């Protein structure tokens, strides 16, 4: 079975990432007993507990059992995916407890593998969540903000070859309207994906603001591009876990990120659960 092993290694240039996604979706079907999933949910920093409110977990799979997935590299992220009943709608959510970040150096194919797998598993929409820095000083740690658009500063792309994809309305106006119906106090902002893993300097945060950004983070944009390419509707929600560097006088810490997530879990959980049920 050496052939299969090679094909499932996304860092091997000979691999076909879409074939690996098909293989992953097949394992998900076997292990969950669900012929299809409907909505995928990626839980970022601070969103771990929020996922629990979406519905009953019907199956939990270790990422390491699924082709192309690696175990979690960040503390506070869980290295599993779950099949969750969406309330009593009869539909299923595929909930990723963690994501692969670009800064891990496993390549862009690994970063977007969960998205391609979700599409192969039948999903028609994905909710991308993240923890990020906020550029608006009014956004206290623990404030969820809808992503209206993004600026990709990674200088990477998940698309290969002459794959021209239109990104107008990448962050679905329809799904944003649903989220704002659920919580009319939700602000929107432009998310700027930096490569990381270092946080920005205050000068880089000023640059992001000059470019039109409102939120700074290390994920989401590459996944959103891959999602559009495979036809998924995208909703992005950031949890502002800290003021971006230079916005507040305090230095940034990962502990602050985890605390803000725990404090906001209830609000974010109810938001996510209600929005996912209405997708
Ligand atoms: I949580 O302030 C979290 N992730 N780039 N900047 C960047 N990523 C983040 C930040 C932040 N906070």
């Amino acid at each position: 079975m050496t052939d299969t092993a090679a094909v499932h290694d996304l860092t091997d240039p000979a691999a076909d990432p879409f074939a690996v996604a098909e293989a992953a979706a097949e394992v998900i079907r076997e292990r969950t007993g669900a012929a299809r999933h409907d909505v995928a949910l990626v839980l970022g920093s601070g969103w771990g507990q929020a996922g629990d409110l979406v519905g009953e977990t019907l199956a939990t799979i270790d990422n390491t059992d699924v082709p192309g997935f690696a175990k979690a590299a960040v503390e506070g992220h869980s290295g599993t995916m779950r099949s969750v009943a969406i309330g009593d709608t009869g539909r299923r959510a595929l909930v990723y407890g963690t994501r692969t970040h670009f800064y891990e150096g496993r390549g862009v194919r690994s970063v977007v593998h969960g998205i391609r797998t979700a599409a192969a598993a039948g999903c028609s929409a994905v909710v991308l969540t993240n923890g990020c820095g906020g550029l608006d000083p009014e956004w206290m740690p623990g404030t969820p903000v809808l992503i209206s658009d993004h600026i990709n500063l990674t200088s990477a792309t998940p698309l290969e070859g002459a794959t021209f994809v239109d990104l107008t309305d990448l962050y679905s106006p329809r799904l944003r309207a649903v989220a704002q119906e659920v919580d009319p106090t939700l602000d929107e902002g432009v998310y700027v994906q930096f490569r990381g893993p270092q946080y920005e300097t205050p000068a880089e945060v000023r640059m992001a603001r000059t470019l039109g950004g409102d939120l700074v983070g290390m994920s989401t944009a590459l996944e959103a591009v891959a999602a559009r390419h495979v036809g998924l509707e995208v909703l992005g929600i950031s949890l502002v876990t800290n003021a971006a560097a230079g916005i507040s006088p305090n230095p940034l810490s990962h502990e602050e990120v985890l605390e803000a997530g725990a404090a906001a879990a209830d609000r974010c959980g109810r938001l996510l659960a209600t929005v996912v049920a209405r997708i």
Side-chain angles (χ1 to χ4, degrees), residues 74-86:
V74 182
E75 183 202 339
H77 291 206
S78 93
T80 62
M81 61 183 82
R82 291 181 286 161
S83 179
V84 174
I86 303 176

Side-chain angles (χ1 to χ4, degrees), residues 45 130-134 191-192 194 196 198-200 216-218 239 241-245 252 254 257:
S45 291
N130 63 56
C132 73
Y191 180 90
V192 184
F194 283 83
Q198 71 282 0
Y199 295 121
E200 297 70 36
V216 286
M218 306 175 196
L239 176 64
T241 56
N242 57 274
L252 277 52
H254 189 58
V257 167

Side-chain angles (χ1 to χ4, degrees), residues 89-245:
T89 62
R91 292 182 297 120
R92 294 259 199 141
L94 180 59
V95 180
Y96 294 110
T98 186
R99 58 158 51 90
T100 294
H101 290 86
F102 187 51
Y103 58 71
E104 290 171 48
R106 292 196 247 252
V108 198
R109 287 175 165 191
S110 299
V111 171
V112 301
H113 182 54
I115 302 300
R116 289 170 175 165
T117 296
C123 293
S124 58
V126 61
V127 182
L128 300 170
T129 69
N130 63 56
C132 73
L135 272 59
D136 182 338
E138 306 241 297
W139 292 335
M140 295 296 132
T143 305
V145 176
L146 282 180
I147 300 177
S148 57
D149 203 347
H150 79 225
I151 296 172
N152 172 9
L153 291 188
T154 64
S155 57
T157 170
L159 308 179
E160 300 178 30
T163 310
F164 306 116
V165 172
D166 174 62
L167 300 182
T168 310
D169 286 339
L170 175 56
Y171 297 87
S172 165
R174 184 182 81 85
L175 296 183
R176 278 151 58 198
V178 168
Q180 269 167 336
E181 232 174 81
V182 171
D183 183 348
T185 70
L186 273 179
D187 278 337
E188 291 198 334
V190 172
Y191 180 90
V192 184
Q193 181 175 358
F194 283 83
R195 186 191 180 285
Q198 71 282 0
Y199 295 121
E200 297 70 36
T201 63
E204 288 165 342
V205 170
R206 288 193 299 274
M207 173 189 77
R209 185 161 52 195
T210 301
L211 294 178
D214 303 295
L215 307 156
V216 286
M218 306 175 196
S219 68
T220 303
L222 294 170
E223 291 149 76
V225 170
R228 165 57 58 93
H229 175 231
V230 292
L232 297 180
E233 215 175 351
V234 178
L235 179 66
I237 318 178
S238 286
L239 176 64
V240 175
T241 56
N242 57 274

